[in-house]
Amino acid sequence: MPSSDSQPAPGPPVLPFSLLAGALVAQQVGSKAVRDALFFAQISAELLPRAMMLGAVLSAPMVLLASMALTRWGPRRVAAGMLASSGALFVLEWSLLSNRPALAAWLAYLHVVSLGSTTISAFFSNVAERFDPHAARRASGQIVSGAAIGGALGGLSVSALARQLGAGPLLLGLALINLLAALALARLRAGETAHTTAPVALPFARLAGSAYLRSIAYLVALTGFTGALLDYNFKTQAALELGHGAELLQLFAMFHTGTA
């Protein structure tokens, strides 16, 4: 009979990670819908390509900085810090919306584009940090299910509240979700390992030395460019058909729910 010493040590509970994944994907879907609706209401469709390009330019250094920060301080601290920063930015955008709506729309667009996906990636790095490979394989199904349910609930909630509340209160709601998620993540300490300050190799050096990675990078760039063109065409046509009111926000909420 195997001794009790051969039993694997219990890992951290999965439920908190599932709930956090659901909350983060819900706010990501909602923030994308509010971002797009605000931009079309306060700016114009003609400036959307410029905003998309500027957002892409800001995202690249954000990813590099996040990668170095993850190595130095660990995913829990980095993800919690990014969530807190995102919540503070949502509050700032809400405060600007009444007096400087164009500035609020620009800030919301660039904020969501540059921080949104990077924050989600930093959060999911916690799974590899907290669970051993076998436990991570078992836990990933529950965590991804929580993320999928959260994405659906986020889009449906924004769609249902679009007519009653409008973009301003939704910005405050997104800020609250981000700040609560940052607080919850900061309290999840069990299982964290120490981090060193070893230098992080820049990805460009890896790309230069691997033909396979370069091929994947070209494919990602091509599909990203194609997706951007389709995204621009869809959103401009939707704005022409529906105007800039609650119906457009509802459509964007359902669109981002489906793509999430």
Side-chain angles (χ1 to χ4, degrees):
M1 178 180 294
S3 65
S4 59
D5 293 339
S6 63
Q7 299 297 322
V14 179
L15 182 59
F17 290 94
S18 299
L19 294 175
L20 275 172
L24 294 188
V25 177
Q27 68 84 29
Q28 185 187 42
V29 170
S31 64
K32 287 181 177 180
V34 174
R35 170 201 72 186
D36 292 339
L38 267 180
F39 192 88
F40 280 98
Q42 305 298 337
I43 315 296
S44 66
E46 289 77 13
L47 292 178
L48 183 58
R50 187 179 302 177
M52 296 170 72
M53 187 179 306
L54 185 55
V57 169
L58 290 175
S59 296
M62 187 65 65
V63 170
L64 291 176
L65 289 173
S67 298
M68 291 185 285
L70 286 171
T71 301
R72 184 178 179 87
W73 293 297
R76 180 182 64 86
R77 294 183 179 88
V78 173
M82 294 177 74
L83 285 166
S85 300
S86 188
L89 285 171
F90 278 126
V91 173
L92 176 60
E93 290 147 15
W94 169 80
S95 67
L96 291 171
L97 191 58
S98 57
N99 298 321
R100 304 288 297 277
L103 178 59
W106 270 107
L107 184 59
Y109 192 94
L110 297 177
H111 155 212
V112 173
V113 169
S114 60
L115 266 182
S117 298
T118 307
T119 303
I120 297 293
S121 298
F123 166 76
F124 276 101
S125 296
N126 283 273
V127 177
E129 178 79 8
R130 303 304 184 96
F131 298 90
D132 63 69
H134 297 290
R137 209 163 27 242
R138 294 192 299 269
S140 61
Q142 299 179 46
I143 296 173
V144 171
S145 296
I149 294 171
L153 291 177
L156 292 173
S157 299
V158 170
S159 179
L161 296 173
R163 290 187 181 277
Q164 289 81 7
L165 298 181
L170 289 175
L171 286 173
L172 285 181
L174 293 169
L176 181 62
I177 293 174
N178 276 269
L179 294 173
L180 289 177
L183 179 61
L185 187 58
R187 294 174 64 86
L188 292 176
R189 298 178 179 274
E192 187 175 51
T193 57
H195 290 268
T196 64
T197 58
V200 179
L202 293 177
F204 308 110
R206 302 286 182 89
L207 288 175
S210 172
Y212 177 71
L213 287 179
R214 288 198 303 273
S215 299
I216 296 297
Y218 296 149
L219 177 61
V220 171
L222 179 61
T223 54
F225 177 73
T226 305
L229 292 178
L230 293 173
D231 188 60
Y232 169 73
N233 185 64
F234 166 74
K235 290 175 181 176
T236 52
Q237 291 300 316
L240 288 174
E241 293 289 334
L242 300 177
H244 302 143
E247 288 185 354
L248 186 64
L249 178 54
Q250 289 177 312
L251 176 64
F252 286 152
M254 299 310 297
F255 168 73
H256 287 300
T257 300
T259 57

